[in-house]
C-alpha cells in the first residue's frame, strides 16, 4: 500500500528569520559605510539629491546631473564641485540598481533612496 505523502515546499520560518536578519545587517552596514564616507567627503551631509538635466553647451546637448548636499535640517552644506561629484559617484557605486535617470534623494540617516518628488532649482540659477 502506497502512502500518500505530502511534501511541503514552504521555507521554514527559522530560515526566513535568519535570511531577514542577514539582509538587515547588510543594509545597516552599507548605510553606515555610506554615511561615514559622505561625512568624509563633506562634513555634515545627511541628504544627497541628484537631478539629471540636459544642457546645451556650444551647440551640443549634454546630459549632466546636479547634486545637492544638505544637512539634517535641509540646509545646503558648503562643498566644492569635487565633493559633489564624489558624493554622486559614491552613491552610484554603492547603489548600482537605482534608476539614476530621474530625480532621487538619498537620506544617510535612514539609508533610503527615494524619488525626489519636488526637485528645486539651486538658488544661484534663479533669476
Amino acid at each position: 500500500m502506497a502512502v500518500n505523502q505530502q511534501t511541503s515546499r514552504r521555507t521554514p520560518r527559522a530560515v526566513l528569520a535568519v535570511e531577514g536578519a542577514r539582509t538587515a545587517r547588510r543594509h545597516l552596514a552599507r548605510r553606515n559605510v555610506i554615511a561615514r564616507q559622505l561625512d568624509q567627503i563633506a562634513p555634515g551631509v545627511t541628504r544627497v539629491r541628484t537631478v539629471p538635466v540636459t544642457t546645451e553647451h556650444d551647440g551640443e546637448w549634454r546630459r549632466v546631473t546636479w547634486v545637492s548636499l544638505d544637512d539634517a535640517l535641509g540646509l545646503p552644506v558648503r562643498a566644492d564641485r569635487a565633493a559633489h561629484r564624489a558624493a554622486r559617484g559614491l552613491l552610484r557605486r554603492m547603489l548600482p540598481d537605482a534608476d539614476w535617470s530621474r530625480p532621487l534623494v538619498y537620506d544617510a540617516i535612514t539609508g533610503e533612496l527615494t524619488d525626489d518628488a519636488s526637485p528645486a532649482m539651486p538658488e544661484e540659477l534663479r533669476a
Side-chain angles (χ1 to χ4, degrees), residues 82-96:
H84 287 82
R85 188 174 291 144
R88 178 178 174 266
L90 170 68
L91 292 179
R92 287 188 65 126
R93 285 188 305 278
M94 295 297 283
L95 305 165

Side-chain angles (χ1 to χ4, degrees), residues 104-115:
L104 298 172
V105 61
Y106 178 78
D107 188 339
I109 296 171
T110 63
E112 298 282 325
L113 181 69
T114 57
D115 286 335

